[in-house]
């Protein structure tokens, strides 16, 4: 019986294909993915070479491309024609079709006219078809043979001189006589113009090659773009690990988000979100040299260390704010402004603060510091240190001071707080970023005075170059080098009066001139930027008061991994069998593990409303009273009110003389002593007072 059922089942199953009931996954090609992420705005339109030219949209580019390269179906023997000739031929074909004339694409075996004679079906026309006249009779009858195709030069090639061709043959494709003389609508008389001289052609080719070489020289990956979203305010901090697999971003919304390119799909969602310190903005992030830990600097006075997965390893101690000398405090006493990990040593970090000091810390000991650096000031006081930076070897420290000065310290035996290099008026406003070159010769400084300055460390009296018109409204706006350090780039902020949005400005380091401006966002300001050497991708953070994100610019032909990995990975489709039950606990007295921890601010507000926890005194009741209490006009308690109304409490003290009120108790104490006088009556002698003598008084 079981065998018969199996045979029946196999017979039925054989009627269906093997793929019946299975849904095949539709894989999107990489070309389609990259075309979807391609930038629509031409970044080269902002370059100085093309200054003043508007950027072209994708449909306009496609139209120009088709205009330069006509449809290959209208070509013969691979001959190409200029765009003007192609349009002229198209217009003539449209006229012919409108007048009932045959098209120029007719086969050689079709019927036509040669020297006024009809061709038979078995005859083959030798040479090209005869040109047609542009004139037509009133009845629309075609006069003469059909018009030759636009690219037909068979008459010249085959030597068919007897073929009744009107006028000389059309000029070769290289001729631009019609375009140069503006005679595209007139009939050309005489032989074709000779080709351009070799010198002119060579100069044109040299100009084109120079422009192409200029574009290919820097190879900025700008063709495609993706955005890592998730923050609700501007992204003020950015750090990419050395391998390029993980990105961390910090924002003014007090959170840090962690992204992993290997684990992300095309949704570009972060795998972890942190809140280092409640109510404080994230100002700086930095990976360790081994990329197993990262430093998080917020607006609080304590920096935190996290591991690679976002777990807290510890936070540094806070100093005593009542100690005047900053060298005697154990840590910072005001909000931090910047922090950076040592480029070589994995246990050393550097922080700067608004309290006017820089401190070097040991990661293995969170309760002590290695060195305190106090910058040199013109007047005694506390001036905030707005930024700090290591050089590439970790042997030099640079700090940007709130008074606009730049100070540099060399780490050597016996070094102290006295700077080795001091530039008093480096900038007119707060310095937002400092950056050393890898060779240790160049120092870049970015400021909120809308400028970027290039300094030569061998001669710091004045900057080598000053780039202006770079607005910056955020204290975290940085500056960076390209991987080969040929380019210097920084971001700009959006201003109310101007129409330009947030830009990435690239400058040539050798020539010290602007190379390109890349538009990142029309409404958001660009704060942090970086160019990863292994990925060859440009990162730029942007945002405003309501939204923030990290823009990643890449080129599929130049970049590697990074954004290319996650963009090509489609998200998992939800299946019918997927089931996820969210546990809902209705017990109000559940374990603390399942309770939502309220914020401290809400707890304080709730405690202030509670009269018992806040120890608030009872306020007097105004009006008639309620709840057993009457108004303040009749007494604060009900018993006092009743006694006053019944006459048991008599208030006569306002009508009596104070002296008489005191003396009446003296007579009572003398007549009826109760406590003190009976105890001393047996032991104390009676007081004897001197009697006054009237004579003595008169004598005196």
């Amino acid at each position: 019986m079981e065998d018969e059922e199996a045979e029946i089942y196999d017979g039925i199953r054989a009627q269906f294909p093997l793929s019946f009931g299975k849904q095949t996954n539709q894989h999107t090609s990489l070309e389609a993915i990259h075309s979807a992420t391609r930038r629509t705005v031409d970044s080269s339109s902002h370059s100085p070479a093309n200054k003043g030219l508007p950027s072209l949209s994708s449909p306009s580019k496609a139209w120009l491309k088709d205009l330069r390269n006509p449809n290959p179906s209208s070509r013969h023997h691979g001959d190409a024609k200029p765009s003007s000739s192609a349009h002229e031929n198209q217009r003539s074909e449209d006229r012919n079709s409108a007048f009932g004339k045959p098209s120029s694409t007719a086969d050689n075996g079709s019927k036509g006219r040669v020297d006024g004679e009809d061709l038979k079906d078995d005859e083959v026309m030798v040479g090209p078809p005869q040109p047609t006249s542009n004139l037509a009779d009133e009845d629309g009858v075609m006069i003469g043979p059909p018009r030759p195709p636009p690219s037909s030069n068979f008459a010249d090639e085959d030597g068919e001189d007897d073929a009744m061709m009107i006028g000389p043959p059309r000029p070769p494709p290289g001729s631009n006589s019609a375009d140069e003389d503006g005679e595209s609508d007139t009939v050309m008389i005489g032989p074709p113009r000779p080709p351009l001289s070799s010198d002119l052609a060579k100069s044109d080719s040299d100009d084109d090659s120079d422009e192409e070489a200029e574009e290919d020289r820097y190879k900025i990956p700008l063709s495609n773009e993706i955005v890592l979203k998730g923050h609700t305010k501007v992204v003020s901090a950015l750090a990419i690990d050395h391998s390029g697999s993980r990105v961390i971003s910090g924002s003014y919304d007090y959170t840090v988000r962690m992204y992993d390119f290997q684990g992300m799909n095309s949704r570009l969602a972060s795998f972890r979100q942190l809140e280092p310190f409640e109510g404080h903005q994230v100002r700086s992030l930095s990976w360790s040299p081994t990329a197993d830990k990262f430093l998080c600097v917020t607006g609080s006075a304590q920096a935190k260390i996290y591991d690679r997965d976002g777990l807290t390893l510890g936070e540094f101690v806070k100093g005593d704010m009542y100690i005047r000398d900053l060298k005697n405090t154990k840590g910072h006493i005001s909000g931090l402004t910047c922090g950076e990990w040592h480029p070589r040593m994995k246990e050393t970090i550097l922080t700067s603060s608004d309290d006017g000091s820089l401190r070097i810390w040991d990661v293995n000991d969170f309760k002590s510091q290695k060195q305190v650096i106090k910058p040199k000031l013109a007047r005694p006081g506390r001036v905030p240190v707005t930024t700090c930076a290591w050089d590439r070897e970790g042997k030099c420290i640079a700090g940007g001071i709130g008074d606009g000065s730049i100070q540099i310290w060399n780490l050597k035996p016996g070094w102290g707080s006295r700077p080795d290099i001091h530039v008093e008026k480096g900038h007119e406003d707060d310095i937002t970023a400092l950056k050393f070159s890898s060779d240790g010769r160049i120092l870049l400084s970015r400021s909120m005075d809308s400028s970027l300055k290039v300094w030569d460390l061998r001669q710091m009296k004045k900057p080598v170059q000053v780039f202006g018109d770079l607005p910056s409204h955020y204290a975290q706006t940085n500056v960076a080098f390209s991987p080969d350090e040929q380019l210097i780039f920084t971001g700009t902020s959006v201003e109310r009066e101007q129409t330009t949005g947030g830009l990435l400005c690239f400058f040539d380091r050798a020539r010290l001139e602007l190379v390109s401006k890349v538009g990142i966002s029309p409404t958001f300001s660009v704060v942090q930027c970086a160019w990863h050497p292994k990925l060859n991708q440009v990162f730029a953070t942007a945002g405003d008061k309501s939204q923030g994100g990290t823009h990643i610019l890449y080129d599929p032909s130049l970049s590697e991994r990074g954004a290319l990995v996650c963009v090509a990975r489609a998200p998992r489709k939800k299946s019918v069998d997927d089931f996820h039950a969210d546990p809902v606990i209705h017990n109000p007295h559940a374990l603390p593990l399942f309770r939502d921890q309220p914020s401290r601010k809400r707890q304080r507000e709730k405690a202030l409303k509670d009269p018992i926890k806040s120890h608030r005194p009872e306020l007097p009741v105004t009006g008639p009273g309620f709840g057993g209490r009457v108004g303040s006009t009749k007494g604060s308690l009900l018993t006092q009110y009743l006694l006053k109304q019944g006459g048991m409490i008599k208030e006569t003290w306002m009508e009596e003389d104070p002296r008489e009120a005191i003396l009446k108790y003296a007579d009572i104490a003398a007549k009826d002593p109760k406590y003190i006088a009976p105890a001393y009556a047996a032991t104390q002698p009676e007081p004897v007072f001197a009697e006054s003598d009237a004579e003595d008084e008169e004598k005196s």
Side-chain angles (χ1 to χ4, degrees), residues 94-172:
D94 294 340
R95 283 198 304 269
N96 294 339
S97 62
F99 287 107
K101 299 178 182 180
S103 174
S104 61
T105 57
D107 299 334
N108 293 334
S110 60
K111 294 182 179 181
R113 295 179 61 87
V114 179
D115 295 334
E117 298 179 0
D118 296 333
L119 291 176
K120 297 181 180 180
D121 296 336
D122 55 349
E123 292 179 356
V124 180
M125 182 175 63
V126 179
Q130 298 297 327
T132 58
S133 175
N134 292 333
L135 301 176
D137 294 339
E138 296 178 356
D139 299 335
V141 180
M142 181 179 67
I143 299 175
R147 188 178 180 84
S151 59
S152 176
N153 293 325
F154 298 148
D156 295 339
E157 295 176 0
D158 300 335
E160 298 287 340
D161 297 331
D162 300 330
M164 297 298 293
M165 177 176 286
I166 301 174
R170 296 180 67 86

Side-chain angles (χ1 to χ4, degrees), residues 293-309:
K293 304 172 186 176
F294 68 89
L295 167 68
C296 179
V297 173
T298 61
S300 65
Q302 297 172 273
K304 283 191 174 182
I305 303 295
Y306 293 89
D307 66 353
R308 186 176 176 83
D309 296 326

Side-chain angles (χ1 to χ4, degrees), residues 273-295:
Q273 180 180 353
L274 311 172
E275 189 172 359
F277 208 100
E278 185 179 358
H280 289 278
Q281 301 170 350
V282 181
R283 296 183 175 177
S284 180
L285 295 168
S286 179
W287 283 99
S288 65
T290 55
D292 58 342
K293 304 172 186 176
F294 68 89
L295 167 68

